[in-house]
Amino acid sequence: MSVRENFKENLKYWRNKAGLTQEQLSEKIGYGLGYISEIESRNMFPKPETIDAISRALGISAAQLFEEKGSPVNAIKFDSADFVRDVADELYDRLNASLIAYFEQKLGQ
C-alpha cells in the first residue's frame, strides 16, 4: 500500500473511531464541508500543517495516520472497555433473572 493509501485508510479508521462524519471533521479543522471527503475519496493530499490539525482533532499523533505495519484497518478491532462492559451487562442480566426466578419459586411455595 502506498503512503497516500495508508493515510486515507487510517484517516477513515480514526475518524470513524472518533465518531465523526467527514463533514464534522472538516468543520473541526476549519475547512469546507467536503474537504475530508476529497481526501478520503480522491488523490488529494493535505499539507503538513493540515495533517497536524487533523491528528489534533482526532486526538492521535500525526504518525498514526501513516502507519503501515499494524495499520488499524488490518487489525482486529477490539475495545477492552466495551468488552468488559458487555460481559458485566450480560452477567448482571443473568444473575438478575436467576434471583427473580429463585425468589418467585421460594415465595410461591
Side-chain angles (χ1 to χ4, degrees):
M1 210 184 274
S2 74
V3 171
R4 287 179 187 237
E5 290 169 331
N6 279 335
F7 181 85
K8 287 183 348 182
E9 292 301 316
N10 290 338
L11 175 58
K12 288 177 194 176
Y13 172 83
W14 290 110
R15 179 180 56 74
N16 286 323
K17 187 165 175 102
L20 296 171
T21 65
Q22 292 174 334
E23 293 80 16
Q24 289 169 327
L25 181 55
S26 293
E27 287 179 356
K28 205 168 183 161
I29 63 170
Y31 282 83
L33 293 178
Y35 185 76
I36 297 298
S37 174
E38 291 287 321
I39 294 171
E40 289 183 2
S41 63
R42 298 192 181 162
N43 260 349
M44 188 171 133
F45 201 72
K47 296 177 188 176
E49 56 270 15
T50 306
I51 293 170
D52 287 338
I54 291 170
S55 65
R56 279 192 308 274
L58 295 173
I60 60 171
S61 71
Q64 288 175 281
L65 291 169
F66 293 95
E67 289 179 342
E68 182 175 2
K69 189 174 183 180
S71 170
V73 173
N74 300 321
I76 297 172
K77 296 175 186 170
F78 179 77
D79 185 339
S80 61
D82 286 342
F83 177 75
V84 169
R85 195 171 19 261
D86 290 345
V87 169
D89 289 345
E90 179 67 24
L91 289 173
Y92 173 82
D93 291 343
R94 288 183 183 190
L95 179 60
N96 192 39
S98 294
L99 287 172
I100 290 171
Y102 175 80
F103 285 112
E104 284 177 346
Q105 179 187 12
K106 290 295 181 185
L107 292 174
Q109 289 182 352

